[in-house]
Amino acid sequence: MQITKDQINNMKIKTKKLNVLIVDDDIGALNQVDIMCKELFKTITLANDGLEAIIKYKDFLDKNDNTFDLVLTDINMPEINGLELSEKIKKINPNQQILIMSAYNDSFLLQKIINSGINTYIHKPIQFDQFFTAIFKLTNIYFSNKEYELTKNKTINLNKELMSRMQGYNSLSLSFSIDNNGIITFVSDKLLEIISYEKEDLLGENIRILIHPDIQEDLLKKLWKIIKTGSIWRGRIQNITKKKRNFWTNTTIGPYFDEFNKIIGYYFILEDITAQVNTNELYDKINLLLNNVNEGFLLFNKDFEINRGYSIKCISIFNQEIIEGQNVSQMLFSDIKKRNLFEKIILEIYESSSDLSIDLLFSLLPKYTYLNDRYIEIRYKFLDNKLFMLILKDATERKKLEKELKRKEQYQKMLISIVSNNNDFIDIKLAFEILLKTLYKDTTNTIFLPTYIIDLKRELHTFKGLFLQINFVYTPNSIHELESKIEDNLLINNYVFTLNYCENILLNFRKDIEIITHMLGENYILEQEKLYDNSKVLTKIKDDILNIVVDPKHINFKLQDIASKIESMTYLNLYNLLSKYIPVIEDLSVMLNKSINSFVITGDKNLKVPPFFINIYRNLIHLLRNSIDHGIEDENTRLLRNKDPKGNISCDFNYDNGFLFLKISDDGNGINLYELKKKALEKNIYNEYEINNISEKELLFLIFEDGFSTKESATNISGRGIGNSSFKQELEMINGKIEIINKEEEGLSYILKIPMENISNTNILNNALEDCIDVADIVIEKTKNFLVNDLNLDIIDSRYCNNTNFENKINTFINFTSNQNFIFCFSCSTLILKTFFSLLPSLDENFEEYKEDLAKEFINTIIGLAIQDLPLISKTGTLDVPYLLNSVETYDKHYNKNYKIIQNIIQTNIGNINCSLLVESK
């Protein structure tokens, strides 16, 4: 083949970029090839034999992080011949282009060269045309391979970038992908949330599972034909959710490729326009005139600066005469998070070189903003001159209609909850109305003790949870606002509370009630309250009978039996009660974006509990809400911890020897003790020394402290540090106990121990002494009068009982010696003593230092008042000095066979006091 000068010059354009290694043990031949290559290549490296060549090859690789582009080698050389050298080089770089030069010409040698993967070979002596023809061939092969590798890497990187972005915006974007057969290979979490499928339901399924059956086949064929060519299709598609609901989307479909630039699947980027379509269908007769409204047009650059040439409509949209030079991001979004997201995506679009990536990023940009009391729809265009165009349109009317539809859905959900749980609704309504009346009554005095405000916070927080359970629309948010106001005041030690604080709550509560009345009828609530009152009548009848039974002079076991049967009619099925939390947990998990399996309840399905348990049941929401919000991790974290992607929350209960044991468990984060200590130090609850020396149990019980929360900010669901405190207070009022079992990153359990016998009015006055009942009556009456008149407490209940819980109380005794020896015992809650403490201004603020003396003074005061009403005893008897016993000693004394006892429990709004009269047996 004759090589022309033009061919050589054209070849030089390519070869001048190449580095070449020439190997030959014949110095003359080596120099000849060197001279022929001088003008062709970027650099030339010479080697006299195969051993030197392999050393120089590796040295070049180390220095340049790349191999020679071409290798020209003789075949017959000492130590390492050309074929052996080629094999060693091919192990380092399998794609290395090699030219073999040899003076020998036999078929056996040629076959060995071909078998080694070398397809370029010339004979010595080297002829000019022969040599340049071989170099021309070798160079073309090299650049063809190089171009293929570049294309291959570009395609691989493009696919990686595409899938990375789809998965990176997994929780934000609506997207999925399929293979060439239409089988689903990826679905974003955000899309799963809308279409109600689990990921396992869709992966491996045909795409038709998502496409509405009413969609026209012609449209499917058309779009399939377009995307099979490698083009991008955009249009509106009607999809279907798992619950068979319509799901309309603006859809972008594009291909992705394998390393050979062959289509291996397609990505789908969706924009949910269901609300828009539904709104148009429902309100198609309303003349919105949206198509006739002028649109605003503006341009901005990479620095987010608005250019000249914006339309007049922009002036009215932004309510500014001049917007040129303004920052478009700040003009559009007052919310910093939205502004940051907008700027981040815009900059990524500028930096992206891929149309597919740009399409994906465009789908993530905000579609609406709220400006000057109007909703503005935003559309985007990226122009060839690297400017962005925004098209702005007033969409306020459409948004109002969509908002109205959403509000009606909320109303419907509230009504379903109320109809399904009539008794709960009436109970919550009546209790909340009592709280409102108390607030309006008490706020004539505008300054309160801190304890009052703290108790009020607890009550409000519990009611907020209860109203959320029955899906009230307006009341929970107004309670949340009031909680925030109270907290802001407490931060500055402001204990003022005025009527206007709760005015908004009252208005919104009435608004919710009016919706219920309007939708269910004016008489609905009245009828339900009558039914509710009927259940209270049973309780009243039972109490009337027991008021006869508690008097030993009128003990009648038949009446006791009747009272017991009536009382059982008011008992509640525990399993059915707890089952009401199943939909509540499902709703909360959706609100908090957590994946949770169905709430599992285990226990005797026939077990019934007394009506007082309803307060514990209602406050369980605080524990369950914390399990979802603080406990259960997101799916990615759970997978990293080798857990089921869905969290688990369960409740186990059983009754044993007078106690109900109830266990709430989750398999989530558990409590991080380090973070707990850190928060305790921040709130000055403990100092460094104390925090490092307290037990784990004490540390864990910090979560029941008022205002203690590990969350940085409060929402209308959790984060104020009030819920757990409210629950603990309710539990203590019935002498219940709680234990925490914590395993970090494995889960948390609350174990409740709730006494059931000491609340019952049946089987009362064990070993009661008839002739001493008058003494007990007077002491109890004096105690109640002192609690109400001097300590300003509310008496919730007072009853005689068999058993009393002496744990977690201060047990004080005082002996009275006369012709009949009496021992009086008061087992008092700490909160009652703290209230008594507040009446003694002469003492400093260290309650713990005076606690025991206060308990003695408390019993001494009341028994002293009681004895004054018993003149025969007071004249002949002697009152000893009060003394304290621990819970074990107190229990032993009460159940000593040498004493007959009369026991009474007085339940107040802040705790219980157990009054016992012990009389020596004669």
Side-chain angles (χ1 to χ4, degrees):
M1 176 182 175
Q2 185 69 30
I3 300 296
T4 67
K5 187 176 181 179
D6 288 341
Q7 287 177 317
I8 293 174
N9 289 335
N10 289 335
M11 185 167 62
K12 280 183 181 180
I13 296 172
K14 293 183 177 181
T15 58
K16 270 297 182 181
K17 302 175 183 178
L18 306 182
N19 301 297
V20 65
L21 172 65
I22 304 173
V23 190
D24 202 321
D25 62 336
D26 184 342
I27 299 300
L30 186 64
N31 290 334
Q32 179 191 5
V33 176
D34 182 25
I35 293 168
M36 296 171 73
C37 293
K38 212 70 170 175
E39 299 298 321
L40 284 178
F41 299 107
K42 180 180 178 181
T43 65
I44 298 173
T45 302
L46 303 178
N48 291 322
D49 57 48
L51 183 59
E52 183 184 357
I54 197 66
I55 292 171
K56 288 187 175 182
Y57 189 90
K58 291 179 178 178
D59 184 56
F60 185 88
L61 175 60
D62 291 339
K63 290 179 179 178
N64 299 280
D65 198 26
N66 207 347
T67 62
F68 287 104
D69 300 305
L70 304 179
V71 175
L72 285 59
T73 180
D74 185 22
I75 197 164
N76 293 310
M77 295 181 293
E79 294 194 37
I80 299 177
N81 64 37
L83 284 176
E84 292 171 336
L85 174 63
S86 298
E87 289 175 1
K88 290 181 181 293
I89 288 175
K90 287 279 188 179
K91 287 181 180 179
I92 299 172
N93 179 9
N95 297 320
Q96 181 67 64
Q97 298 302 313
I98 301 174
L99 170 64
I100 293 290
M101 304 175 293
S102 176
Y104 298 94
N105 185 14
D106 61 71
S107 59
F108 177 73
L109 179 62
L110 183 60
Q111 186 63 46
K112 286 185 70 176
I113 292 172
I114 293 171
N115 290 341
S116 66
I118 301 167
N119 54 13
T120 309
Y121 168 83
I122 59 174
H123 296 288
K124 288 183 177 181
I126 297 173
Q127 301 298 319
F128 180 84
D129 288 347
Q130 178 194 23
F131 177 75
F132 278 100
T133 300
I135 291 297
F136 184 77
K137 176 183 177 183
L138 201 63
T139 302
N140 284 337
I141 294 172
Y142 171 83
F143 278 104
S144 294
N145 290 346
K146 203 74 173 175
E147 186 176 348
Y148 167 75
E149 284 296 321
L150 287 172
T151 303
K152 172 184 172 182
N153 291 335
K154 184 177 179 182
T155 302
I156 291 172
N157 291 334
L158 185 64
N159 287 336
K160 285 181 179 178
E161 182 184 3
L162 174 64
M163 296 311 294
S164 173
R165 290 189 184 277
M166 287 178 68
Q167 293 174 4
Y169 293 102
N170 187 27
S171 62
L172 299 174
S173 69
L174 306 179
S175 58
F176 68 95
S177 61
I178 62 172
D179 62 17
N180 277 332
N181 297 316
I183 301 303
I184 298 171
T185 56
F186 167 82
V187 191
S188 73
D189 290 344
K190 189 66 176 177
L191 180 57
L192 289 171
E193 180 184 324
I194 291 177
I195 61 179
S196 304
Y197 278 103
E198 301 296 333
K199 191 169 289 187
E200 295 76 14
D201 296 337
L202 295 179
L203 295 182
E205 294 293 327
N206 191 281
I207 188 177
R208 285 193 174 270
I209 195 174
L210 298 178
I211 297 175
H212 199 283
D214 292 345
I215 195 169
Q216 295 180 357
E217 284 294 328
D218 289 346
L219 175 62
L220 295 178
K221 289 178 181 179
K222 181 179 178 181
L223 73 86
W224 191 255
K225 184 177 180 181
I226 291 172
I227 62 176
K228 281 179 70 175
T229 65
S231 300
I232 294 173
W233 182 89
R234 296 181 180 87
R236 191 172 84 168
I237 291 181
Q238 183 182 10
N239 308 284
I240 190 167
T241 69
K242 185 176 182 180
K243 296 179 179 179
K244 306 302 179 187
R245 293 176 181 168
N246 284 349
F247 173 48
W248 287 91
T249 59
N250 281 335
T251 305
T252 300
I253 309 173
Y256 58 94
F257 307 86
D258 65 8
E259 60 189 33
F260 303 106
N261 213 27
K262 181 182 177 182
I263 295 174
I264 57 172
Y266 304 90
Y267 69 87
F268 289 67
I269 308 296
L270 313 177
E271 176 196 356
D272 184 3
I273 58 169
T274 307
Q276 175 186 336
V277 172
N278 289 342
T279 301
N280 290 338
E281 290 176 355
L282 289 172
Y283 296 92
D284 55 357
K285 294 182 180 180
I286 301 175
N287 185 12
L288 298 176
L289 301 176
L290 291 176
N291 293 328
N292 298 321
V293 174
N294 293 329
E295 295 180 334
F297 295 88
L298 65 83
L299 300 175
F300 68 89
N301 58 26
K302 189 176 181 179
D303 297 324
F304 301 97
E305 187 178 274
I306 299 175
N307 285 19
R308 297 176 61 185
Y310 49 85
S311 68
I312 297 176
K313 186 64 180 176
C314 291
I315 296 173
S316 62
I317 288 174
F318 292 111
N319 197 24
Q320 291 191 27
E321 286 295 328
I322 300 175
I323 65 172
E324 180 184 347
Q326 300 272 24
N327 184 295
V328 70
S329 179
Q330 294 176 5
M331 298 280 283
L332 284 172
F333 306 105
S334 58
D335 184 90
I336 294 176
K337 289 183 179 179
K338 289 183 179 179
R339 190 186 305 165
N340 291 341
L341 176 65
F342 172 79
E343 292 177 358
K344 178 183 177 183
I345 296 173
I346 292 293
L347 290 176
E348 286 198 32
I349 291 174
Y350 268 108
E351 294 168 3
S352 179
S353 58
S354 164
D355 289 341
L356 300 178
S357 299
I358 290 173
D359 285 337
L360 174 62
L361 289 166
F362 263 113
S363 69
L364 300 176
L365 282 166
K367 303 299 186 296
Y368 291 93
T369 189
Y370 192 70
L371 292 173
N372 302 316
D373 298 324
R374 290 179 295 176
Y375 287 100
I376 305 298
E377 181 185 0
I378 312 171
R379 285 176 286 156
Y380 305 84
K381 289 187 181 296
F382 191 35
L383 307 180
D384 292 338
N385 58 358
K386 297 296 181 180
L387 290 176
F388 263 94
M389 175 187 283
L390 290 189
I391 306 167
L392 308 174
K393 187 176 183 179
D394 191 339
T396 306
E397 291 301 318
R398 190 190 335 156
K399 275 290 183 180
K400 284 182 179 177
L401 294 176
E402 291 173 1
K403 191 174 181 180
E404 183 62 25
L405 284 176
K406 185 176 181 181
R407 186 66 72 195
K408 286 181 178 179
E409 287 181 7
Q410 290 178 304
Y411 293 166
Q412 186 179 23
K413 196 172 183 180
M414 176 176 68
L415 296 175
I416 291 171
S417 295
I418 287 168
V419 172
S420 303
N421 303 281
N422 285 324
N423 287 341
D424 288 347
F425 160 61
I426 297 299
D427 206 10
I428 295 167
K429 173 184 175 292
L430 295 176
F432 190 64
E433 286 171 344
I434 291 171
L435 175 63
L436 288 175
K437 287 178 182 177
T438 303
L439 286 176
Y440 274 78
K441 174 185 174 183
D442 289 349
T443 45
T444 53
N445 228 344
T446 57
I447 300 177
F448 297 97
L449 292 172
T451 53
Y452 181 93
I453 300 296
I454 291 169
D455 288 341
L456 178 60
K457 277 174 59 183
R458 287 174 177 161
E459 276 200 87
L460 288 171
H461 195 70
T462 298
F463 273 115
K464 181 175 73 174
L466 294 173
F467 283 123
L468 283 171
Q469 280 179 248
I470 56 176
N471 294 296
F472 262 46
V473 179
Y474 299 103
T475 309
N477 285 335
S478 57
I479 294 177
H480 183 75
E481 291 170 5
L482 178 56
E483 286 181 298
S484 299
K485 184 68 177 177
I486 293 173
E487 285 190 358
D488 291 343
N489 282 350
L490 290 179
L491 286 174
I492 57 174
N493 296 320
N494 179 6
Y495 301 107
V496 174
F497 188 88
T498 60
L499 279 175
N500 62 342
Y501 286 5
C502 51
E503 188 69 30
N504 197 39
I505 290 183
L506 180 61
L507 292 174
N508 282 303
F509 176 67
R510 286 174 176 170
K511 193 172 180 179
D512 281 326
I513 296 298
E514 285 171 5
I515 292 167
I516 296 165
T517 303
H518 176 73
M519 302 293 283
L520 297 178
E522 292 184 4
N523 295 326
Y524 176 79
I525 293 179
L526 290 174
E527 291 171 356
Q528 296 305 317
E529 286 180 347
K530 285 180 181 178
L531 291 173
Y532 180 83
D533 288 339
N534 288 341
S535 68
K536 297 299 180 184
V537 169
L538 286 175
T539 303
K540 180 67 169 60
I541 294 171
K542 180 260 299 184
D543 289 340
D544 289 343
I545 293 173
L546 290 178
N547 284 334
I548 299 173
V549 176
V550 296
D551 187 345
K553 301 170 186 176
H554 300 95
I555 289 179
N556 185 313
F557 294 102
K558 184 64 176 176
L559 285 177
Q560 284 186 335
D561 183 55
I562 294 171
S564 178
K565 288 176 180 178
I566 293 175
E567 186 176 34
S568 68
M569 294 173 66
T570 67
Y571 275 33
L572 308 165
N573 183 289
L574 180 57
Y575 188 90
N576 293 342
L577 203 60
L578 294 171
S579 296
K580 293 181 180 181
Y581 274 118
I582 294 175
V584 174
I585 289 174
E586 288 177 356
D587 289 344
L588 280 173
S589 64
V590 171
M591 292 171 66
L592 293 168
N593 199 26
K594 299 289 182 75
S595 296
I596 299 177
N597 288 310
S598 184
F599 183 42
V600 176
I601 305 167
T602 306
D604 183 357
K605 293 186 178 181
N606 297 314
L607 181 63
K608 292 187 176 182
V609 291
F612 79 83
F613 184 79
I614 196 71
N615 290 329
I616 297 298
Y617 155 74
R618 287 174 182 162
N619 279 272
L620 279 176
I621 185 63
H622 301 305
L623 303 186
L624 294 169
R625 189 164 50 208
N626 285 339
S627 288
I628 301 169
D629 197 8
H630 300 272
I632 301 300
E633 315 95 320
D634 59 71
E635 286 192 15
N636 291 335
T637 302
R638 292 184 65 83
L639 288 170
L640 288 173
R641 292 176 177 174
N642 295 318
K643 295 183 180 181
D644 184 338
K646 287 189 170 185
N648 295 288
I649 300 177
S650 62
C651 177
D652 304 296
F653 65 86
N654 69 287
Y655 177 81
D656 183 29
N657 197 27
F659 289 92
L660 174 67
F661 293 90
L662 193 145
K663 180 179 179 183
I664 302 289
S665 302
D666 68 67
D667 65 346
N669 282 308
I671 296 176
N672 185 310
L673 297 181
Y674 172 79
E675 291 296 328
L676 206 59
K677 289 181 178 180
K678 182 179 174 184
K679 187 63 70 172
L681 290 171
E682 288 176 5
K683 289 182 170 289
N684 295 319
I685 297 174
Y686 292 107
N687 59 35
E688 288 279 359
Y689 175 79
E690 291 169 332
I691 202 71
N692 291 320
N693 287 279
I694 64 173
S695 66
E696 182 177 330
K697 179 179 178 180
E698 290 176 287
L699 188 61
L700 288 172
F701 265 73
L702 283 175
I703 67 173
F704 294 110
E705 288 288 322
D706 267 317
F708 190 91
S709 175
T710 54
K711 291 191 75 173
E712 294 300 323
S713 60
T715 67
N716 65 346
I717 295 177
S718 71
R720 293 197 182 275
I722 300 173
N724 281 353
S725 173
S726 298
F727 177 81
K728 183 169 177 284
Q729 186 186 40
E730 286 293 337
L731 194 63
E732 287 176 344
M733 289 181 71
I734 59 168
N735 298 317
K737 295 181 182 179
I738 187 166
E739 178 186 354
I740 304 175
I741 299 176
N742 178 52
K743 295 182 180 179
E744 289 191 35
E745 297 189 0
E746 292 184 27
L748 187 73
S749 294
Y750 302 96
I751 301 177
L752 314 181
K753 182 181 179 182
I754 303 170
M756 288 295 170
E757 288 184 351
N758 65 330
I759 306 298
S760 175
N761 276 325
T762 58
N763 302 320
I764 57 175
L765 295 177
N766 180 36
N767 298 323
L769 190 61
E770 182 175 339
D771 58 347
C772 294
I773 192 67
D774 291 336
V775 175
D777 284 342
I778 291 173
V779 171
I780 291 162
E781 192 61 28
K782 289 294 182 182
T783 304
K784 290 193 290 186
N785 289 339
F786 185 80
L787 293 174
V788 172
N789 298 326
D790 294 271
L791 300 191
N792 294 320
L793 301 182
D794 295 329
I795 304 296
I796 296 173
D797 199 4
S798 174
R799 63 175 71 86
Y800 287 98
C801 57
N802 269 339
N803 303 310
T804 305
N805 185 359
F806 304 112
E807 293 184 12
N808 299 320
K809 288 185 173 63
I810 301 171
N811 305 302
T812 318
F813 292 76
I814 190 167
N815 298 343
F816 185 86
T817 306
S818 66
N819 59 335
Q820 174 71 63
N821 294 332
F822 299 96
I823 301 175
F824 299 96
C825 172
F826 281 8
S827 296
C828 194
S829 75
T830 302
L831 286 174
I832 292 177
L833 284 181
K834 281 186 176 180
T835 307
F836 181 55
F837 177 73
S838 67
L839 298 177
L840 307 173
S842 61
L843 301 178
D844 61 29
E845 295 181 358
N846 191 346
F847 169 79
E848 292 296 327
E849 182 179 346
Y850 298 105
K851 181 168 62 176
E852 294 184 0
D853 290 334
L854 283 167
K856 294 175 183 177
E857 182 61 28
F858 186 83
I859 192 171
N860 199 49
T861 299
I862 295 176
I863 298 302
L865 292 171
I867 288 177
Q868 293 175 17
D869 288 347
L870 299 169
L872 293 176
I873 296 178
S874 61
K875 289 177 181 178
T876 59
T878 303
L879 193 63
D880 293 342
V881 177
Y883 58 97
L884 275 69
L885 294 179
N886 62 36
S887 60
V888 175
E889 292 168 337
T890 302
Y891 182 89
D892 290 342
K893 200 172 189 72
H894 274 68
Y895 293 94
N896 189 321
K897 292 182 178 179
N898 294 324
Y899 294 102
K900 294 182 179 180
I901 61 172
I902 301 172
Q903 298 182 76
N904 184 279
I905 181 170
I906 302 172
Q907 185 178 354
T908 76
N909 58 312
I910 64 169
N912 300 342
I913 178 169
N914 304 318
C915 305
S916 303
L917 173 63
L918 288 76
V919 185
E920 287 184 354
S921 301
K922 293 184 179 180

